[in-house]
Amino acid sequence: MKRLSIFAVVAMSGCVVFAQSQKVTVEGKQAENNPRKVALVVQNHAALGANIPIIALSDALTAKLSGRGLQVVNPYNSVGVNQNRNALGEKTPEVSAMELARKLKADGAITASVLEFRDILLGSSPTEYHQYSIRISLSLADAQTGAAICGETIKSKSPKYTKSQVAKNRQEYLGDLIYAAADECAEQLEKNPAVKNWKPVPPPPPPPPPPPRRPIFDKIVDKLVVEMLSSPQFVKNYEEQKEKGERTPIAVIGGMENESGRAELDAGLKAAGERFRKKLFDSKLFDVKDDAILVGLAKRIVASANSATENGDLMEELKQHGSPDFFVIGNLVHFADLDGAGYYKFRITMHSLRTGKIVWEGIETITTNKEPAQ
């Protein structure tokens, strides 16, 4: 694959959104607008010494494509070095057209290559004339596969100019030729049925983030236990329950449930649940239990969202198993960012088995292989 660098022969002009079907009204019906984003790359493949205003051609192509309802993003502002570039352009990272398109998250790449640029002398002295011509090859390729979708070649000629006219207005004439060529390029691309029927291959989904390391769960558990024991809401509910029961409250530990879709985190979450149970036990504020019958009973109460005192059967079962007061359970969930990076939410809640309500909740965000968010 060819590598692109901007020296004297290559210029990158823009990143444009090519409209698959423009919004037009036909007999009262409005077509859907489905824009497709493409990176526009302009190259000079003409003979050495051809004095081509390549930056002007790049700007003209961008303007003409924009004039057909396309949205333009200048890659100089995205991957370049000097936004305030001069007429010689600027040096940018050496990448292929497809790499540039993918870097800009484009669906495809349009490459405009100047194949020929000529200044032809016609007639004979003293009635000699100058005539300029430019030949441009335009191609569209899918960014993900690199497969060519279509190609067009156009040749534009300027009117004939006398030597005195060229001496006075050469740059203006070259500009007129460049804009005429750019207009024809954009028109040919817009009309090509292959472009209209092109369905870009979607980029592969981003790889899932690596799972958090086990030490992170240990640190989070330690942090959340400290937060819980210092929470005014928790202290209030704890003291009320201790006063009513006239004993040390009993906490049922339901473990940490893995809802992240990453089975390799099961062991770390199991260890986190055991660590939380031990922290509560070491605090001497609770009698701690984690047998399966109590866990199942506690989950039924929490799921019902009702007070256990309002359900005679549940209340009787609570009494038969030591009348526990609180139920602790946690979970880990994965969320995807817009950029696909993703993060995790680790949550622990403590429920009152008398009211079925949450008396304390702690949530921690985990970014991959980093310390918990503060």
Side-chain angles (χ1 to χ4, degrees), residues 314-331:
L314 284 177
M315 196 65 196
E316 186 61 30
E317 287 190 59
L318 279 176
K319 290 179 180 178
Q320 292 175 9
H321 294 88
S323 298
D325 306 292
F326 297 104
F327 176 57
V328 178
I329 192 168
N331 69 332

Side-chain angles (χ1 to χ4, degrees), residues 210-221:
R213 297 166 296 171
R214 177 173 170 175
I216 287 183
F217 293 126
D218 293 344
K219 291 180 180 180
I220 290 176
V221 166

Side-chain angles (χ1 to χ4, degrees), residues 105 204-210 334-343 368:
K105 298 182 179 180
H334 175 255
F335 296 88
D337 286 331
L338 292 178
D339 61 3
Y343 60 96
T368 304

Side-chain angles (χ1 to χ4, degrees), residues 44 46-53 116-118:
N44 179 4
L48 293 176
N51 187 17
I52 304 173
E116 178 184 276
F117 187 78
R118 302 180 63 187

Side-chain angles (χ1 to χ4, degrees), residues 22 60-72 183 186 190:
Q22 303 216 2
L61 276 170
T62 302
K64 294 300 182 181
L65 290 168
S66 299
R68 283 171 167 78
L70 311 180
Q71 298 173 358
V72 179
D183 191 44
E190 184 181 39

